[in-house]
Each structure stands twice: as structure tokens, then as C-alpha cells.
Amino acid sequence: ENLFRLADLVSTGDKFIYVYDFGDNWRHEIEVLTHDPKRGSPDTVWPSCTDGARACPLEDSGGVSGYERLSIAEQKRAISRCKMGPLG
């Protein structure tokens, strides 16, 4: 776990899959847009997320299928609120 740093393994243009929460198997495709070898210097630019369809799934939401169920339920609630009008 402490043998390598990600910065030592990737280069600009590399793509890889990062698995978050092995129980729910959230898979994220990561693309390295730039790579700054000056790690730790005051002008280091730290990693940032530049794109994504949604902010993120809820923690322990049941994997992809659980998140889809939550997303559909939220869409139905939003449609219902629109039909009821602003005074609900």
C-alpha cells in the first residue's frame, strides 16, 4: 500500500479505472489531463474532478442498481411536485 505513489505510476494522457467501495463496486474512469512532477512544491496543482454526470452517489446506496432506484424515485418526486404547483 505504501510502496508507490499514484504520481509515480501515471503520465499525462493515461486512463485507468478506479474502484471505490468494493462492496458496491463503483467504477470511475480516470483520465490524467496533466501531470506535474514537482510534487510537494508550493506551486503544485492538486488533482481535481473536471467532469461528471452527477455529483456523486450516496454512501452505501446499494451499488449501481440501488442508485438507479434512488434516482428514479427522485425524478418521480420532482414530476409530482411540478404537477401540484408551487403551493403543493
Side-chain angles (χ1 to χ4, degrees), residues 28-78:
H28 304 274
E29 181 179 301
I30 308 296
E31 179 180 4
V32 180
L33 299 178
T34 60
H35 180 261
D36 184 357
K38 300 180 287 182
R39 297 173 302 228
S41 67
D43 58 345
T44 295
V45 176
W46 296 101
S48 62
C49 180
T50 59
D51 191 18
R54 291 190 169 82
C56 65
L58 299 171
E59 193 68 32
D60 294 325
S61 58
V64 173
S65 62
Y67 185 59
E68 285 175 346
R69 284 191 301 274
L70 289 171
S71 182
I72 290 168
E74 179 55 35
Q75 289 172 10
K76 287 179 180 178
R77 280 193 293 274

